[in-house]
Amino acid sequence: MTPTPAKLPATALSGPQKALHKLGLVRDIDLALHLPLRYEDETRIVRLGDARDGEMVQIEGQVTHSEITLRPRRQLRVTLDDGSDTCVLRFFNFYPSHQKTLSVGAQVRVRGELRGGFMGREMVHPSFQLAGGELPGALTPVYPTVAGLPQVYLRKAVLGGLSRADLSETIPGQFLSKNRLQPLCSLHDALQFLHHPTPDVVLTTLEDRSHPAWQRLKAEELLAQQLSQLQARRVRAAMRAPALSGPAMHGVHCTLQEQLLARLPFRLTAAQQRVCAEIEADLKKRIPMHRLLQGDVGAGKTVVAALAAARCIDAGWQCALMAPTEILAEQHFRKLISWLEPLGITTAWLTGSQKARERREMLALIESGQAGLVIGTHAVIQDKVKFNNLALAIIDEQHRFGVAQRLALRSKMTGEGQESGQEPHLLMMTATPIPRTLAMSYYADLDVSTIDELPPGRTPIVTKVVNEARRDEVIDRIRGQIDEGRQIYWVCPLIEESESIDLVNATQTHEALSAALPEVMVGLLHSRMPVAEKRAVMSLFTSGQMGVLVSTTVIEVGVDVPNASLMVIEHAERFGLSQLHQLRGRVGRGAAASACVLLYSTGDAPRLGETARARLKAMVETNDGFEIARRDLEIRGPGEFLGARQSGAPMLRFADLALDADWLAWAREVAPVMLDQHAELAQRHVLRWLGGKAEFLKA
Ligand code: ADP
Ligand code: MG
């Protein structure tokens, strides 16, 4: 039976259908675009005498021996002879029916990996059937799948989708003839081919995706992405936002921004001034800002956000700041309160863990418009939150939020009494920079401001990679730092011991450090602690009473304790590069020389794996977030980079920005012309590829 999951309500779905949904395979076209991971060649029978060990082969022969042995484990052992050689088939799980099919004298066809065993050649758990059946004419696709979705079911579903999907041409011929690869096959032919390649195909052209069928898919995908971004940009350009130019009240001789600047204990860096000017210019316009502010950890993005907020509030509008974690939201809250409340700005605070009464009070402040600035976690975008007049939404660590959450924040503008079609300005902040070229070419709908210098007086962080065996030396070093009045972070990857992964957990480390440093207050912070407790621990550390903070990665983003000078990361080999860089950025925020120790363990292996080594090496060699991002890209490849980080962007499945720069250039050239001259085809193309995920459909 061919599944038609799209038409069924979610609750009526069978297990495999649910799994299909989980893979995002809902529409026929989604199924058609679900491409094989690899192929199996069942089109040929190989002679054992010609096959090499380690090869996946299909052979046919006669069973010459069959027995159940108990040593070393209960198993069915069958000997097969195809005239050129013999091979032993071993089954650890088997039914009487297996035994029957594989009884002595039977002619069978088996398929599996050939191994050169101690007792001769063998196959473990090969697939088998009676010999003599017709051989398939095309390679057999093997699809990426998830638990609960058997390959056979998935294969049927995909082929069903492929036969039903509308694969008619959406790219006008004039653009197809403009590309470098001629002839480019149609989408229909490309998909037919990739799902059933003929046995004569050179497999490497499928593996490295250089085959014309793959080229067609890459071109299609990149075009969809560019069309969607461009369309979003045009939709936005047609929308209106409040122009936040001058102060709403007259008679004030000094703007809020000027007052804030005068009160800061430091001067803005040139880079901060430049990005402030870029943001200012956007805020003055009647078109909603859509700007990404990127700057390395510690570059000073918060003050830039505060100045933008001051401009907004000065103009008589509300500003919202959303942060991904409570700790971070609270940090912002304290800092911004200390800057803005003396200027007469009322600040409201919203989190999930807030007491009902406090929350009611906050909601009232927000709805009445009394609160100029609203800070919080995801709680800010809940339905109950009604803004009086939101004009600027700021999202910190934006890569932690999805598109849906950003949109929800923007939609807060369409409250009652507001001009319809109005949108707030949007400022997204991130310490995970997108490499510049990528940002320019890929994110057509994003303006980017970059803080490319750190505040003065920072000494670079020295990073050391240390084997776990030298843990005691690290503890000595902690003592030294404590004696100098400094504070230390110690980060662990997991909070509870798991049987399968032998990780030293935060709790254990906390106990060990407490014992080793009896005179020091050692705190513990992890994500499963009640919020009140987290807050208490954090405030002890912020105030300087606590010397060492052992934590899981909850401190990854945004925490700012300038007196902390040493960051120890345990099992550093398990962290991603950008995460390591973020963590390291928690130190080196004050004037004191700071260090980061990357403790690693190789487990049972003699040495670290190659990518882990590359990551740790990159950490030692550079402190520059852009360089880190570049190396990360190199180590992981851009598809994964974008997919994991910029969760707002539709992930590229087929194209690879580094390898397919030509196709990206082609798509950038074609997209605007196609939108102008073939709007309907453009729409169909984007819908086909991005479905509900298309940016402009939500804009
Ligand atoms: P991030 O960009 O990682 O969010 P923060 O905004 O938290 O960085 O700033 C890091 C630290 O640098 C904070 O303590 C902040 O007050 C301080 N800071 C920001 N700008 C400057 C500056 N121009 N001169 C000196 N210190 C600054
Ligand atoms: Mg920050």
Side-chain angles (χ1 to χ4, degrees):
M1 192 193 78
T2 319
T4 47
K7 293 178 190 76
L8 293 168
T11 48
L13 295 181
S14 69
Q17 285 172 329
K18 271 192 202 140
L20 282 179
H21 273 228
K22 206 155 119 198
L23 282 174
L25 305 180
V26 179
R27 306 170 303 163
D28 288 334
I29 185 71
D30 301 329
L31 288 160
L33 290 174
H34 191 64
L35 291 188
L37 204 56
R38 58 188 174 82
Y39 302 91
E40 285 182 353
D41 188 354
E42 295 176 355
T43 64
R44 305 179 291 146
I45 305 288
V46 178
R47 277 161 46 92
L48 265 174
D50 299 335
R52 274 168 301 148
D53 289 347
E55 243 182 317
M56 271 303 273
V57 291
Q58 182 163 255
I59 52 178
E60 265 185 17
Q62 188 170 38
V63 176
T64 55
H65 184 80
S66 171
E67 63 170 345
I68 293 174
T69 60
L70 295 176
R71 289 224 184 110
R73 249 170 88 188
R74 184 176 134 76
Q75 57 185 276
L76 173 63
R77 289 173 57 100
V78 174
T79 308
L80 195 72
D81 186 341
D82 79 344
S84 68
D85 197 357
T86 62
C87 168
V88 173
L89 317 179
R90 299 206 286 150
F91 299 87
F92 298 105
N93 301 307
F94 56 93
Y95 297 102
S97 60
H98 284 121
Q99 248 177 301
K100 211 168 141 215
T101 312
L102 296 168
S103 56
V104 173
Q107 292 285 342
V108 289
R109 176 184 296 172
V110 304
R111 204 187 126 69
E113 192 188 323
L114 198 61
R115 296 196 206 155
F118 185 62
M119 310 283 287
R121 304 179 112 181
E122 59 175 40
M123 280 185 189
V124 176
H125 276 238
S127 59
F128 61 91
Q129 64 189 81
L130 286 176
E134 201 188 326
L135 288 167
L139 300 182
T140 309
V142 179
Y143 294 102
T145 188
V146 290
L149 184 58
Q151 194 60 227
V152 181
Y153 185 97
L154 177 58
R155 200 172 283 163
K156 245 189 187 164
V158 166
L159 298 185
L162 180 64
S163 67
R164 288 185 306 265
D166 166 22
L167 298 176
S168 56
E169 188 60 82
T170 47
I171 308 179
Q174 72 194 91
F175 304 126
L176 288 175
S177 59
K178 253 204 211 161
N179 68 81
R180 66 205 159 107
L181 267 182
Q182 280 285 6
L184 194 63
C185 58
S186 69
L187 177 66
H188 174 272
D189 292 353
L191 288 176
Q192 287 296 341
F193 180 81
L194 291 173
H195 287 290
H196 321 271
T198 46
D200 60 354
V201 68
V202 182
L203 272 176
T204 52
T205 64
L206 296 183
E207 278 155 19
D208 70 10
R209 302 187 170 184
S210 62
H211 190 280
W214 268 110
Q215 298 292 319
R216 170 71 197 219
L217 287 180
K218 293 169 175 215
E220 289 249 333
E221 179 178 45
L222 286 168
L223 180 59
Q225 188 275 340
Q226 288 294 313
L227 282 171
S228 150
Q229 290 267 319
L230 202 62
Q231 183 81 346
R233 186 173 200 102
R234 290 185 181 184
V235 167
R236 197 163 50 78
M239 298 215 267
R240 288 294 160 257
L244 307 174
S245 37
M249 298 209 291
H250 297 286
V252 187
H253 45 268
C254 199
T255 67
L256 275 178
Q257 278 196 335
E258 285 161 344
Q259 294 174 52
L260 174 56
L261 281 171
R263 289 181 51 91
L264 288 176
F266 50 75
R267 283 174 54 88
L268 295 188
T269 61
Q272 283 171 321
Q273 286 175 18
R274 181 175 32 89
V275 302
C276 281
E278 286 164 4
I279 293 167
E280 282 285 289
D282 279 0
L283 292 180
K284 278 188 191 145
K285 292 187 191 145
R286 297 270 289 133
I287 300 169
M289 171 166 77
H290 197 234
R291 187 169 284 278
L292 180 70
L293 171 60
Q294 51 179 15
D296 209 346
V297 259
K301 294 182 289 294
T302 314
V303 68
V304 173
L307 286 162
R311 154 70 70 221
C312 168
I313 297 161
D314 218 3
W317 295 79
Q318 285 175 304
C319 172
L321 173 67
M322 186 159 77
T325 65
E326 288 216 354
I327 291 180
L328 188 52
E330 178 154 342
Q331 287 248 343
H332 279 310
F333 188 63
R334 284 176 197 284
K335 187 151 244 170
L336 296 184
I337 275 197
S338 73
W339 283 340
L340 298 175
E341 291 216 321
L343 310 181
I345 297 171
T346 305
T347 315
W349 148 254
L350 283 177
T351 68
S353 67
Q354 204 157 33
K355 295 255 156 52
R357 217 189 97 205
E358 191 186 33
R359 159 165 296 227
R360 267 200 308 278
E361 285 168 16
M362 294 298 172
L363 289 177
L365 282 178
I366 298 166
E367 193 159 359
S368 70
Q370 226 177 315
L373 180 62
V374 180
I375 301 177
T377 55
H378 298 80
V380 170
I381 49 176
Q382 275 156 9
D383 287 344
K384 285 216 180 91
V385 185
K386 303 255 185 304
F387 285 86
N388 178 51
N389 60 352
L390 178 68
L392 172 61
I394 304 175
I395 303 181
D396 197 11
E397 306 296 345
Q398 71 97 24
H399 59 284
R400 291 296 198 90
F401 293 97
V403 177
Q405 291 159 332
R406 293 210 294 258
L407 290 166
L409 189 50
R410 278 161 64 179
S411 73
K412 285 292 176 195
M413 180 109 200
T414 49
E416 266 176 66
Q418 305 223 344
E419 225 179 286
S420 68
Q422 287 246 80
E423 281 269 307
H425 295 284
L426 185 61
L427 178 63
M428 296 162 276
M429 306 200 285
T430 182
T432 306
I434 310 168
R436 225 167 304 245
T437 46
L438 213 58
M440 307 239 307
S441 54
Y442 189 70
Y443 293 100
D445 186 35
L446 198 62
D447 297 308
V448 180
S449 287
T450 305
I451 306 183
D452 52 8
E453 85 186 293
L454 292 179
R458 304 251 170 104
T459 38
I461 306 165
V462 177
T463 302
K464 288 235 160 72
V465 177
V466 176
N467 192 309
E468 158 74 29
R470 289 167 55 203
R471 209 181 167 90
D472 287 348
E473 292 170 41
V474 177
I475 295 176
D476 284 343
R477 185 149 181 189
I478 291 180
R479 265 189 213 106
Q481 289 293 303
I482 294 275
D483 288 344
E484 286 178 33
R486 302 284 165 213
Q487 291 167 278
I488 291 95
Y489 290 105
W490 186 301
V491 177
C492 306
L494 269 188
I495 52 158
E496 265 161 24
E497 193 131 340
S498 106
E499 276 175 3
S500 52
I501 321 166
D502 181 27
L503 287 177
V504 184
N505 63 52
T507 323
Q508 248 179 23
T509 301
H510 174 244
E511 278 167 23
L513 286 178
S514 305
L517 303 162
E519 68 287 3
V520 183
M521 189 196 289
V522 181
L524 176 64
L525 190 68
H526 62 70
S527 52
R528 298 198 200 159
M529 274 162 51
V531 174
E533 210 175 305
K534 273 192 218 169
R535 199 176 290 163
V537 170
M538 220 35 231
S539 84
L540 282 170
F541 193 67
T542 315
S543 68
Q545 287 161 271
M546 183 178 282
V548 180
L549 179 62
V550 177
S551 82
T552 56
T553 49
V554 286
I555 61 152
E556 181 191 343
V557 287
V559 175
D560 185 27
V561 179
N563 189 47
S565 61
L566 178 60
M567 164 67 65
V568 181
I569 304 174
E570 190 163 325
H571 279 294
E573 78 281 359
R574 295 185 194 250
F575 290 87
L577 187 48
S578 86
Q579 208 182 6
L580 288 173
H581 181 65
Q582 292 265 343
L583 285 168
R584 175 170 62 182
R586 298 308 109 217
V587 295
R589 308 199 134 221
S594 295
C596 173
V597 172
L598 303 174
L599 271 182
Y600 72 94
S601 143
T602 59
D604 296 333
R607 58 192 306 200
L608 279 181
E610 203 175 311
T611 52
R613 241 182 312 143
R615 287 196 297 263
L616 300 186
K617 183 160 175 275
M619 285 292 288
V620 171
E621 287 174 358
T622 180
N623 264 309
D624 174 356
F626 283 96
E627 178 60 17
I628 293 274
R630 205 189 57 73
R631 301 259 195 124
D632 205 16
L633 198 63
E634 217 172 72
I635 299 172
R636 294 148 41 106
E640 197 188 337
F641 181 87
L642 290 169
R645 301 310 168 54
Q646 304 300 328
S647 47
M651 203 194 324
L652 288 177
R653 290 189 284 163
F654 303 133
D656 175 320
L657 290 172
L659 297 176
D660 302 316
D662 290 2
W663 282 122
L664 180 58
W666 170 81
R668 262 160 64 81
E669 197 184 311
V670 166
V673 189
M674 188 159 157
L675 266 188
D676 288 337
Q677 297 176 4
H678 306 274
E680 203 183 312
L681 285 174
Q683 172 97 353
R684 254 178 57 206
H685 187 81
V686 173
L687 267 179
R688 171 181 286 172
W689 275 88
L690 303 176
K693 285 180 290 219
E695 292 258 336
F696 74 88
L697 294 174
K698 295 174 171 173

